[in-house]
Amino acid sequence: MTISLSILFLLFCYELPLIGFAVQSHIADIYHEPSETVERSGIYIIGIDVETLNNMESKQAVRDQLTNEHKDVLTITEINNSMSYTNKNRTLLSWFGLNAKSPKEKMREDLREYFGKEEQRLTDYFHNDHATGNSAGLAILLTELIINGTFQNHIPIAVTGAINGKGEVTAVGGIKEKIQIAEKSGFQFMIIPSENGKEAETFQKELHANIRILDVNQVDEAVKQINYLNDIYK
């Protein structure tokens, strides 16, 4: 009896977090105004606003509601059981402190490793509630190099990409939505990770986007591309 009750209790604890997720029906990616990392740096972070909606009947219903709220919807995803259980498992792990480091925390460590220290500007950025994932890593690193006098930039450039402590640029999510945002915002150039290159090419054709996309593997490649653009378009 004790064993049975213990098993039932554990099952209840496992299913409890799903109650809150059960009503979630859709996730919407929404346009977010690109932000310049530092005034006159010309480096712009491309982020996406994400909104979870409950008990919506269809994607069209979601679009209609958000449009009425004057939100520019990019994509809508219907939440399935797999996504619900993934979120639930993350919640359970967080309860016990077993979650892996968040992308934001990992980015902070990688930037600190690359520079050998953490500048006050980086500390301020990570205390910002809008700093979430790791896709701003490349933009932040490039900005620090500009501030440190490594190179200069005078052209508005949309930048997305994660980095590691060695300065390698790694893949990020939401490439389709970020291309849409950069295009809507009027950017002529966008730098992305080479790992996202093929999907970016596909989405660019699908969206009929005119923006010029440059993919890089290393921070040094990004600096080289920016220097080249500045020489051509100065």
Side-chain angles (χ1 to χ4, degrees):
M1 179 67 73
T2 302
I3 294 175
S4 298
L5 289 174
S6 298
I7 292 173
L8 287 173
F9 177 74
L10 290 172
L11 287 173
F12 173 77
C13 290
Y14 180 72
E15 291 298 330
L16 182 61
L18 193 59
I19 295 174
F21 296 121
V23 296
Q24 298 177 353
S25 59
H26 295 80
I27 295 174
D29 294 316
I30 301 168
Y31 175 90
H32 179 84
E33 186 72 26
S35 58
E36 191 173 19
T37 51
V38 172
E39 188 177 359
R40 292 194 294 274
S41 69
I43 303 297
Y44 286 79
I45 295 174
I46 305 298
I48 306 167
D49 283 336
V50 179
E51 189 162 330
T52 302
L53 295 99
N54 299 333
N55 298 321
M56 301 299 292
E57 296 179 358
S58 65
K59 290 183 179 181
Q60 187 58 50
V62 172
R63 187 174 297 277
D64 290 343
Q65 176 175 313
L66 294 177
T67 300
N68 288 335
E69 295 174 5
H70 306 290
K71 295 177 180 177
D72 189 350
V73 181
L74 304 173
T75 55
I76 300 170
T77 304
E78 186 173 353
I79 297 175
N80 55 35
N81 288 336
S82 175
M83 295 167 67
S84 294
Y85 274 96
T86 297
N87 288 335
K88 180 183 70 171
N89 289 336
R90 286 174 180 166
T91 299
L92 286 171
L93 289 173
S94 69
W95 285 1
F96 296 101
L98 299 176
N99 264 339
K101 291 177 181 177
S102 70
K104 175 181 173 180
E105 292 169 334
K106 183 65 169 59
M107 178 176 69
R108 186 173 189 173
E109 285 189 358
D110 288 333
L111 287 168
R112 189 185 296 124
E113 179 182 348
Y114 183 88
F115 288 109
K117 59 180 179 178
E118 182 172 303
E119 299 285 355
Q120 185 59 45
R121 285 180 299 273
L122 297 182
T123 302
D124 293 342
Y125 173 80
F126 288 108
H127 287 163
N128 185 336
D129 290 339
H130 293 293
T132 53
N134 61 356
S135 63
L138 177 58
I140 294 172
L141 196 157
L142 289 171
T143 303
E144 284 299 308
L145 292 178
I146 290 172
I147 292 171
N148 294 339
T150 302
F151 75 106
Q152 293 298 311
N153 174 54
H154 306 289
I155 299 172
I157 302 176
V159 178
T160 186
I163 57 96
N164 61 26
K166 299 177 182 178
E168 297 168 339
V169 182
T170 58
V172 295
I175 284 294
K176 180 178 181 179
E177 291 76 20
K178 290 173 182 177
I179 292 174
Q180 288 176 276
I181 290 172
E183 180 82 0
K184 284 174 178 284
S185 301
F187 287 97
Q188 291 183 282
F189 308 104
M190 182 177 187
I191 294 178
I192 68 167
S194 292
E195 292 179 359
N196 293 114
K198 288 186 177 179
E199 63 174 324
E201 184 179 353
T202 299
F203 291 139
Q204 188 172 20
K205 291 178 180 178
E206 176 187 327
L207 297 167
H208 303 290
N210 294 317
I211 189 170
R212 181 176 174 183
I213 298 176
L214 308 169
D215 63 86
V216 298
N217 284 303
Q218 293 272 350
V219 172
D220 290 346
E221 286 183 46
V223 172
K224 185 177 180 180
Q225 292 281 14
I226 293 172
N227 282 333
Y228 171 77
L229 292 175
N230 277 267
D231 287 340
I232 297 297
Y233 298 96
K234 61 184 177 180

